[in-house]
Amino acid sequence: VSLSGLAPKRLFSLLPLSGRRIPTLSPGASSFPHHRATLRLSEKFILLLILSAFITLCFGAFFFLPDSSKHKRFDLGLEDMPNPPPVQVKSGPPTCREACVRLARLGRTEPGAPTGEGLRLEESLRDKIRADHERALQEAKQKLRKSKKALLHEIQTEKARVAQELKKKDVPRSLPPVPMPKLVGVNDGDPGEPDVKEKRDKIREMMKHAWDSYRQYGWGHNELKPIAKKGHSTNIFGNSQMGATIVDALDTLYIMGLHDEFKDGQEWIEQNLDFSVNAEVSVFEVNIRFIGGLLAAYYLSGQEVFKAKAVQLAEKLLPAFNTPTGIPWAMVNLKSGVGRNWGWASAGSSILAEFGTLHMEFVHLTYLTGNPAYYQKVMHIRKLLAKMDRPNGLYPNYLNPRTGRWGQHHTSVGGLGDSFYEYLLKAWLMSDRTDAEARKTYDDAIEAIERHLIRKSNGGLTFIGEWKNGHLERKMGHLTCFAGGMFALGADGSPGDKAGHYLQLGAEIAHTCHESYDRTVLKLGPEAFKFDSGLEAVAVRQNEKYYILRPEVIETYWYMWRFTHDPKYRQWGWEAAQAIDKYCRVGGGFSGVKDVYSSNPTYDDVQQSFFLAETLKYLYLLFSSDELLPLESWVFNTEAHPLPVLRLANATMPGSQAKR
């Protein structure tokens, strides 16, 4: 009998003795109480009781075996098989399974009691059972002789073995072969001009410093504390070591030609990236960083491990959609599949930017796996939103997944709302401009945003405010600065003759966001800035003066450069790169700063994974030629992971009328 299934302390607490419970230890206790001798006697007595019960059960089972002399056949279900499997006759005593099969066959062919070989087989079977019982008794005696320490060691060993077996079972199933989209511009991108190339080489060196520091001090952790020189994690990854920086940085390493570093990351993912952990993670963050990062690494490198890992993780996220409306929870436990929303969200709501930023990755998952579930989940979200009333045509940031009703009427193109609008546009682009429904939804949303949220300050700066409970708050966040690039990206294809208008709007947003950088001491932009009381593009509150290595302003510079080739965007990007290198670089990597208006800034001691995934990638692309990841062939997810346009002639997304 094996005792490895129950820890000794728990076993003692469950077994009654003379109507009383034996005292149990607290979980943190390391030794027994004072009456140690008494407890040891009790332990032996209990174990003897277990042993005697086991022996009784074994011999009882033996004596209740069916007597083949009184039955026409030995019924194990095998006689019902039309063609029972052949039995291989081996030298030595037959196994229990072999004996049963052979007895079953004899029972089918001989109407009377078994004689000859049938009788010998029955006796062999009884001998086998007796031998098994004897072996079990010997194992039980050996257990009784072992110390408590040895028993605990066996328990831990067995737990480790079971965990390893479960890990093996968690390997994703083989995926169907699908044609790879035509991929162009996955490396090089030499800008030609020596001075531009020099700037690009500097960005590459910054990436290497960030990666090498993480490799040395935070390897396997989600992020890095570059001053403390140790790993860092937040609740969006469930406080488990999932190597977020490794996954997030892979495609940047590949694009920059840092192939040795890319190979190190790939090896870690192959050997260590495990999603069968008891961790509650953000569905949104894990989707854009992990699934997006793995898919981009797969498309760029062709390494199947990245596709397999992306699908394995995606399956863990699907339970988050098990809500009355199909709007997913903000968080899901990767092991149990239990979901919930952030405690601070309005009335238990899901967040627009979170459940609205799944489309790109999930469409690619359906394409790569042939499983329509991913595509259907995100299309269901779109259809549900299309049926809902929208105040002033605006999408509030909060939606209750139980009731399907809007929460607090707060609309923002910055935090809580931003990437929802981005993914409407990019769904259209990724479909090779065939997803007309996504484009129409985007155009309608941008029209309402321009009517209600976009204003000019007294100083002539165009900004995007936030709509709160019926009035406009004249504040713009660093996150909102991505919208300049979005307007430029969506200019071509705008209804009517508005292409030039939206390209100009993108340029105005880029200018405003540059001013938010230029009006600080460090030449780095604050988290949020106001446009009232005589202050423009300046942070007022102390908790809005920090810079955490965010990419959105540089993202807009890059898109504006691609569409206009105005040299000022490269100049502004270089100013930002120099400021980051001067004020955020530390011995152990790069850190955010707490006050961009102070000449002696203090550090937040976090090297965000998106710094490697987005900020440095957009800077590198800004100083590369347009042939590197051309926008006609690639669409970047909101974490800057490039995914190819799906323009395959014979591929149709399940449930879609449009052929790709």
Side-chain angles (χ1 to χ4, degrees):
V1 60
S2 172
L3 300 180
S4 59
L6 285 172
K9 297 175 190 176
R10 181 63 177 159
L11 178 65
F12 299 152
S13 69
L14 292 176
L15 292 172
L17 184 63
S18 302
R20 297 177 59 188
R21 286 185 179 270
I22 295 177
T24 59
L25 296 179
S26 64
S30 60
S31 62
F32 286 91
H34 296 298
H35 305 292
R36 183 176 300 186
T38 304
L39 280 176
R40 283 180 177 169
L41 289 173
S42 300
E43 293 171 29
K44 292 181 179 179
F45 182 65
I46 292 165
L47 288 172
L48 286 172
L49 281 177
I50 296 172
L51 185 58
S52 62
F54 177 76
I55 293 169
T56 303
L57 178 64
C58 290
F59 281 98
F62 173 74
F63 284 114
F64 280 101
L65 283 173
D67 185 351
S68 58
S69 65
K70 297 179 182 178
H71 299 277
K72 289 187 177 181
R73 62 190 184 188
F74 194 80
D75 190 355
L76 293 176
L78 295 171
E79 70 280 358
D80 296 325
M81 297 171 64
N83 295 298
V87 177
Q88 300 294 329
V89 179
K90 301 177 183 177
S91 60
T95 64
C96 183
R97 170 69 177 170
E98 292 167 354
C100 290
V101 173
R102 289 160 69 178
L103 278 172
R105 287 184 147 190
L106 288 170
R108 292 183 68 182
T109 56
E110 299 182 14
T115 59
E117 186 185 0
L119 190 58
R120 287 194 299 275
L121 284 174
E122 186 173 329
E123 290 174 352
S124 297
L125 178 58
R126 291 185 178 184
D127 291 341
K128 179 77 170 66
I129 293 172
R130 287 193 187 98
D132 289 342
H133 290 170
E134 184 64 29
R135 188 164 49 253
L137 289 173
Q138 292 299 324
E139 288 178 1
K141 290 177 181 178
Q142 291 174 3
K143 296 280 186 187
L144 286 173
R145 296 191 191 104
K146 291 184 179 181
S147 65
K148 175 187 170 187
K149 186 176 180 181
L151 285 172
L152 289 174
H153 176 72
E154 282 192 15
I155 291 169
Q156 292 301 324
T157 302
E158 180 67 12
K159 285 173 67 177
R161 186 190 67 77
V162 172
Q164 191 66 25
E165 289 296 322
L166 290 173
K167 190 174 180 180
K168 288 179 182 177
K169 291 179 181 178
D170 212 20
V171 175
R173 65 183 184 278
S174 58
L175 299 173
V178 294
M180 180 74 85
K182 184 179 179 181
L183 306 179
V184 295
V186 297
N187 49 39
D188 195 22
D190 190 332
E193 306 96 314
D195 61 325
V196 179
K197 190 175 186 303
E198 185 179 347
K199 291 180 173 67
R200 190 174 82 146
D201 288 343
K202 174 59 180 176
I203 304 303
R204 190 172 183 268
E205 184 278 327
M206 292 169 66
M207 177 68 182
K208 196 161 184 344
H209 176 63
W211 175 265
D212 289 347
S213 297
Y214 170 78
R215 182 75 173 83
Q216 183 174 358
Y217 304 117
W219 192 242
H221 289 267
N222 289 317
E223 291 172 322
L224 171 67
K225 295 178 78 67
I227 297 174
K229 295 183 178 178
K230 62 181 183 179
H232 171 73
S233 189
T234 64
N235 63 341
I236 61 174
F237 305 119
N239 290 318
S240 72
Q241 294 188 29
M242 293 172 61
T245 294
I246 298 174
V247 180
D248 231 1
L250 276 175
D251 54 359
T252 307
L253 294 170
Y254 192 91
I255 292 163
M256 291 184 177
L258 296 170
H259 295 301
D260 289 340
E261 291 79 359
F262 179 88
K263 186 177 179 182
D264 286 345
Q266 179 179 339
E267 288 178 356
W268 187 91
I269 286 171
E270 288 175 335
Q271 298 169 11
N272 300 287
L273 186 55
D274 178 21
F275 301 122
S276 60
V277 292
N278 186 17
E280 190 179 50
V281 301
S282 163
V283 174
F284 162 73
E285 295 287 356
V286 165
N287 175 62
I288 65 172
R289 301 194 200 204
F290 281 82
I291 294 180
L294 290 166
L295 290 177
Y298 164 68
Y299 283 119
L300 290 170
S301 70
Q303 297 297 315
E304 291 286 326
V305 62
F306 300 128
K307 177 173 70 173
K309 290 287 186 181
V311 174
Q312 183 182 2
L313 175 57
E315 290 176 353
K316 299 282 189 179
L317 297 186
L318 286 179
F321 291 83
N322 294 336
T323 65
T325 61
I327 297 295
W329 299 112
M331 291 175 288
V332 68
N333 186 294
L334 294 178
K335 191 175 186 70
S336 67
V338 175
R340 70 180 179 94
N341 276 338
W342 303 108
W344 49 263
S346 170
S349 293
S350 298
I351 309 299
L352 180 69
E354 295 190 342
F355 65 76
T357 311
L358 304 166
H359 191 99
M360 289 180 65
E361 297 82 2
F362 275 46
V363 166
H364 271 276
L365 286 167
T366 284
Y367 169 69
L368 291 172
T369 64
N371 181 359
Y374 303 107
Y375 178 81
Q376 290 166 354
K377 298 290 186 189
V378 292
M379 287 304 296
H380 175 78
I381 293 172
R382 183 193 292 181
K383 289 173 182 174
L384 186 145
L385 292 176
K387 296 176 182 177
M388 297 185 64
D389 292 330
R390 295 182 294 280
N392 296 319
L394 298 171
Y395 289 86
N397 291 334
Y398 300 104
L399 180 62
N400 192 299
R402 291 190 178 93
T403 65
R405 296 175 181 172
W406 298 117
Q408 176 186 355
H409 283 191
H410 172 209
T411 298
S412 169
V413 185
L416 306 180
D418 48 10
S419 47
F420 165 72
Y421 307 101
E422 176 187 358
Y423 268 40
L424 291 174
L425 173 63
K426 290 181 175 179
W428 174 70
L429 291 169
M430 198 178 71
S431 72
D432 200 20
R433 305 189 175 205
T434 61
D435 189 348
E437 182 182 70
R439 178 75 214 207
K440 175 68 164 57
T441 308
Y442 169 78
D443 289 332
D444 291 346
I446 295 307
E447 182 182 345
I449 286 169
E450 190 170 10
R451 187 184 314 118
H452 296 287
L453 304 185
I454 297 180
R455 298 288 185 271
K456 271 195 185 295
S457 71
N458 294 333
L461 296 178
T462 301
F463 67 95
I464 308 175
E466 298 187 11
W467 191 262
K468 285 188 175 181
N469 298 319
H471 74 279
L472 183 69
E473 186 175 10
R474 298 170 66 87
K475 180 179 80 171
M476 186 170 173
H478 193 290
L479 289 167
T480 318
C481 286
F482 92 97
M486 179 179 71
F487 293 144
L489 184 62
D492 185 20
S494 296
D497 56 353
K498 288 189 173 182
H501 167 73
Y502 282 114
L503 190 61
Q504 176 61 30
L505 182 58
E508 292 175 12
I509 297 298
H511 173 66
T512 297
C513 292
H514 173 255
E515 287 297 309
S516 76
Y517 273 53
D518 202 45
R519 298 181 185 192
T520 69
V521 173
L522 303 186
K523 304 303 178 185
L524 293 169
E527 181 69 6
F529 39 96
K530 293 288 189 69
F531 294 89
D532 57 11
S533 303
L535 296 173
E536 297 192 357
V538 175
V540 177
R541 298 177 180 176
Q542 187 61 41
N543 63 358
E544 295 174 342
K545 295 181 178 180
Y546 58 87
Y547 172 71
I548 57 171
L549 307 172
R550 286 203 188 277
E552 290 77 20
V553 174
I554 296 165
E555 176 184 357
T556 281
Y557 292 165
W558 174 61
Y559 278 113
M560 293 307 304
W561 164 257
R562 279 283 176 103
F563 290 111
T564 69
H565 287 134
D566 188 328
K568 71 182 180 186
Y569 296 115
R570 276 184 168 170
Q571 178 58 36
W572 290 353
W574 182 239
E575 290 171 3
Q578 287 179 303
I580 291 170
D581 196 53
K582 182 176 181 180
Y583 295 110
C584 299
R585 185 174 187 139
V586 294
F590 289 86
S591 170
V593 293
K594 294 182 179 180
D595 189 345
V596 293
Y597 298 97
S598 170
S599 56
N600 295 307
T602 54
Y603 297 106
D604 66 10
D605 196 20
V606 179
Q607 180 176 282
Q608 306 278 351
S609 79
F610 57 67
F611 177 65
L612 292 81
E614 299 185 77
T615 310
L616 292 175
K617 184 188 284 129
Y618 283 131
L619 281 169
Y620 188 80
L621 291 170
L622 181 61
F623 297 107
S624 299
S625 70
D626 292 2
E627 283 70 40
L628 181 58
L629 299 175
L631 294 175
E632 297 78 22
S633 301
W634 296 89
V635 184
F636 288 73
N637 87 337
T638 197
E639 190 78 358
H641 295 307
L643 300 175
V645 170
L646 293 175
R647 55 166 63 97
L648 301 175
N650 297 321
T652 304
M653 299 307 298
S656 171
Q657 300 302 315
K659 292 209 171 180
R660 306 299 197 257

